[in-house]
Amino acid sequence: MGTLLSTLLAAHPRLRLRVSHHLSADVVDQVQDGRLDAGFVLEERPDRALRHLPVAPVRLRVVGPAAWRDRLDGAGWSDLAALPWVGTPPRCSFHLIAARAFARNGVAPGTIIEVDQESALKGLVTEGLGLALLREEQALAAAAAGEVALWPGEALRSHLHLILPLDKVGEPPLQALQAAVRAVWKETLWPESV
């Protein structure tokens, strides 16, 4: 985000920005009703009034407390479901991604704590409270530091999207934002979004 904002402001120094953090479903609602001009969300949420620009793939990994390393080695989805989970609210993309993975495997997680901030997930796992999904880069760094145990199973895949109201896509500030996104994520942008 820092690179995006500095790129945008370097090209358009008179532009004034307000950045806020919300669950993906709330970002969609706020872009739809005009409270936000644009937003980033995980997972495409089809809406005829919004333009979704796929920006980058995102991989999520299951992590648990470091002391649970032996429990996670060789565990399947039913084993994971039997352990306590630190989850996210239903309107959160992490919740939707996890729910689909569990449903594909015919089980449901035992969520004991629900948090609405991605930043809180790692801390609660580190404290030994349960399993959670983390972005892969955060999960790998925490595992390398011995803070969490990484489940050796599959990574869950998603995509980061920039969403814009279709009726405002051509406005200069939103064109500037799209250009900055292309400049920052030029290596990962999907061909149809270039």
Side-chain angles (χ1 to χ4, degrees):
M1 185 59 71
T3 303
L4 173 65
L5 297 178
S6 64
T7 300
L8 184 57
L9 290 173
H12 304 278
R14 298 185 60 166
L15 193 61
R16 296 296 169 249
L17 305 171
R18 179 177 58 93
V19 178
S20 58
H21 183 271
H22 304 282
L23 300 175
S24 288
D26 295 335
V27 171
V28 170
D29 291 346
Q30 290 182 41
V31 171
Q32 286 173 329
D33 68 20
R35 287 179 284 158
L36 291 175
D37 294 318
F40 288 95
V41 296
L42 282 181
E43 300 284 290
E44 186 169 1
R45 294 162 188 265
D47 185 301
R48 291 176 190 232
L50 297 178
R51 179 169 185 202
H52 281 255
L53 295 174
V55 174
V58 175
R59 291 167 49 101
L60 305 172
R61 299 294 298 267
V62 175
V63 297
W68 294 9
R69 186 166 282 107
D70 290 341
R71 293 167 112 177
L72 296 181
D73 285 342
W77 281 99
S78 58
D79 302 312
L80 297 178
L83 294 169
W85 274 80
V86 178
T88 56
R91 292 179 57 83
C92 177
S93 294
F94 280 32
H95 178 91
L96 298 173
I97 294 163
R100 278 198 308 267
F102 279 108
R104 276 194 312 269
N105 291 282
V107 292
T111 302
I112 61 164
I113 299 172
E114 186 178 282
V115 297
D116 65 358
Q117 291 292 316
E118 182 181 346
S119 58
L121 292 171
K122 183 183 132 206
L124 295 173
V125 171
T126 301
E127 288 296 319
L129 297 174
L131 303 176
L133 282 183
L134 293 181
R135 292 178 193 257
E136 186 171 58
E137 58 275 10
Q138 185 181 18
L140 293 174
E147 298 172 321
V148 302
L150 185 66
W151 179 54
E154 69 182 289
L156 303 179
R157 299 173 192 280
S158 185
H159 299 91
L160 179 67
H161 291 259
L162 172 65
I163 59 169
L164 309 155
L166 276 175
D167 61 344
K168 295 182 181 179
V169 168
E171 292 181 2
L174 294 182
Q175 286 183 331
L177 175 60
Q178 292 172 77
V181 165
R182 287 183 182 101
V184 170
W185 280 288
K186 61 183 171 243
E187 300 299 319
T188 59
L189 280 170
W190 292 358
E192 65 266 21
S193 67
V194 176

